[in-house]
Amino acid sequence: MAVDDLWFSSKRQYGPDGRKLPAAQTSRHGRGKRWRVRYTDDTGHKVERLFERKPDAERFDRQVHTDVARGLYIDPVAGRESVAAFAARWLAGQMHRGSTAELMRRTFDRHINPVLGELPLIQVKPSHLQAWVKGLDLAPSSARVAYSYVVSLFGAAVRDRAVATTPCVGIRLPPVEASEHLILTNEQVHLIAEALPARFRALVYVGAGLGLRHGEALGLELEHVDFLRREVRVEQQLTVIARRRPFLAPVKTRTSRRVVELPQITADALARHLEEFPVIGATVSDETNRRDPKERTAQLIFTNNPGRPIHRATWSHFWKPAAEAAGLPPRTGFHALRHYFATLLIGAGASVKTVQMALGHSSPTVTLDTYVGLWPDQVDRTRTLVDNALLGVPQRAVESK
């Protein structure tokens, strides 16, 4: 459609002599922008844009009609939506659940929106993101996680055609230094258990003897433990997010649903625990089937004193002094028991696949990335493989001068 002149009427009048008269002024003459472009976007909505100068309007008219025809149209109004507003809609549509969804929401609220939230999507530049990354008061690994959320958000904005391109280009991130996992000693495992109240001691041997995540351990029900077959089924986890009571949720990944062997020391600890603290049933929301959430009485093995599911804050109140009593560094969590379990398997010569299945990792790659430095002699080094292959054949090229 041609560019419209809003200051002069497009209807032409003719004089008595048949000559065309000058265009008549409209009621908008001299007020506001003069030139208008009207078009229908790729969703069928009629849109108009106003311009001060005719060349600008004509250039935009040519470009927008070409973009609509090619399916490359970018809605200029959508691009003016703020980062915070778009993020709220984007987060609501994510498939993440439980603690992951809570981490994403908290990261946006605390670290992304306070700096970038008020900016329109279309105005965010790589320089904005670089300055934001530099100013993040987070550990390098956490800063990279926060940045990954921003990358995903602008990827969604591009797919929604709110912006033409993502500003997440060429951003330098803080380097993450390789850190070694704290490996507990056998004595430290026992010291932690001894320092905890009797109600929580068996949890230490569940972590160290089965390699369960904390949520998996707290989500164990009586039916999941088979003392005769010496097995434990991991089928769910107890999840805690802000402003909600603890609830049962699916395990972290598909491979996290597994059966692990029950060592004698863990079996004995569980038997003593059940004798001293019999299961009485705890009412929880069961959301292991997301399509059919329901309230039920769960036969949880581990509960707090009133017989309710253990909240993260409650556990931290007891774990912290116990970890200090065992001589562990500050901020050492329950996950250290899982690392202890993994190192036991690796030290005994277990394969990567065996450790992966026992820990419930999503792939052997995750296991290798986490514990590769702990397979020192079980895996042949590259130089040994090369030497074994080449030293057994004549070395004329090496020996000749």
Side-chain angles (χ1 to χ4, degrees), residues 91 94-108 145 149 237 239-241 247 250-253 312:
L91 286 170
Q94 297 306 297
M95 298 299 292
H96 302 296
R97 61 178 186 263
S99 57
T100 301
E102 173 68 10
L103 173 62
M104 294 179 70
R105 184 197 62 78
R106 190 166 61 247
T107 301
F108 271 91
V145 171
Y149 297 158
Q237 62 177 330
T239 300
V240 179
I241 61 176
F247 62 94
V251 286
K252 186 175 182 179
T253 65
R312 183 169 49 207

Side-chain angles (χ1 to χ4, degrees), residues 341-359 361 363-365 367-368 371 374-375 378-379:
F341 173 77
T343 57
L344 285 182
L345 299 186
I346 295 168
S351 68
V352 175
K353 188 65 178 178
T354 299
V355 178
Q356 177 220 339
M357 297 303 293
L359 294 175
H361 282 159
S363 71
T365 302
T367 308
L368 276 174
Y371 297 108
L374 300 180
W375 268 279
Q378 276 74 21
V379 180

